[in-house]
Amino acid sequence: MTSKVVYPGSFDPITNGHLDIIKRACSVFDEVIVAVFHNPQKKPLFSMEEREKFLIEATRGIDNVIIDKFEGLTVDYVKSKKAIAIIRGLRAVSDFEGEFQMASLNKQIDGEVETIFFMTDTKYAFLSSSVIKEVAQFGGNIAELVPEQVEEELMKKYHIYK
């Protein structure tokens, strides 16, 4: 049996922290589906198509990753892909409460869907898409924190030219 998992997220934009989780999940599972989620509660800076494009570019060369996008319940998406689990990254203890709540809700909705947590590498523990956007908006250096294409697109969005 092939072990297939789904790593869902808004990825607005993808960071090197996300990439770290993707690479590590790919070393454990046969197939990792990284799925851009449309969250109606958020107003993303980048379209789903742009985020999907960033992920495709950033994961080029990783053989067992598939990039996709979806709307609706994550558990429904996971089941439709015949995946065995949801992957989630944890940066700090503060992330755990919200992630635990969501994992418990997903388990209540569908008892067959597991959630597997990956602790982020400590060098990315402070990193979030929100922080990246804020730093980029004020012209800060994000070169070591995001893939090169994402850095370029953020600078364009915020009309910052170096």
Side-chain angles (χ1 to χ4, degrees):
M1 178 166 97
T2 302
S3 60
K4 184 189 308 186
V5 295
V6 173
Y7 180 27
S10 56
F11 304 107
D12 186 41
I14 183 173
T15 70
N16 288 346
H18 293 127
L19 271 177
D20 175 60
I21 298 293
I22 292 167
K23 289 174 184 174
R24 290 172 42 220
C26 285
S27 73
V28 175
F29 300 101
D30 296 323
E31 188 175 296
V32 176
I33 302 169
V34 181
V36 178
F37 169 64
H38 170 72
N39 185 342
Q41 305 300 321
K42 293 185 178 182
K43 299 230 183 282
L45 181 62
F46 294 102
S47 70
M48 283 183 76
E49 290 72 24
E50 288 172 309
R51 291 178 275 154
E52 181 181 34
K53 185 177 88 176
F54 294 154
L55 282 160
I56 290 168
E57 184 62 33
T59 59
R60 194 174 308 279
I62 304 173
D63 294 334
N64 57 331
V65 69
I66 294 169
I67 307 303
D68 198 10
K69 57 184 181 282
F70 75 102
E71 295 185 40
L73 291 175
T74 302
V75 291
D76 291 343
Y77 177 78
V78 169
K79 294 294 269 193
S80 76
K81 296 298 178 181
K82 297 180 176 32
I84 61 167
I86 298 167
I87 296 295
R88 298 299 297 161
L90 294 174
R91 293 172 299 205
V93 174
S94 57
D95 286 346
F96 183 75
E97 186 175 357
E99 292 294 344
F100 178 76
Q101 183 179 24
M102 187 56 65
S104 298
L105 178 60
N106 287 338
K107 193 73 170 166
Q108 180 67 36
I109 293 169
D110 189 322
E112 293 180 15
V113 175
E114 295 293 338
T115 300
I116 300 170
F117 296 104
F118 276 71
M119 295 302 299
T120 192
D121 188 305
T122 54
K123 66 184 172 187
Y124 302 122
F126 66 93
L127 195 54
S128 70
S129 296
S130 301
V131 166
I132 290 297
K133 289 184 280 193
E134 186 174 339
V135 172
Q137 187 174 11
F138 294 105
N141 184 358
I142 57 170
E144 301 296 318
L145 306 175
V146 295
E148 186 177 338
Q149 180 188 17
V150 170
E151 178 189 19
E152 291 170 7
E153 291 301 320
L154 278 165
M155 296 299 117
K156 285 180 192 174
K157 284 270 189 197
Y158 293 122
H159 308 289
I160 297 170
Y161 303 98
K162 295 184 179 190

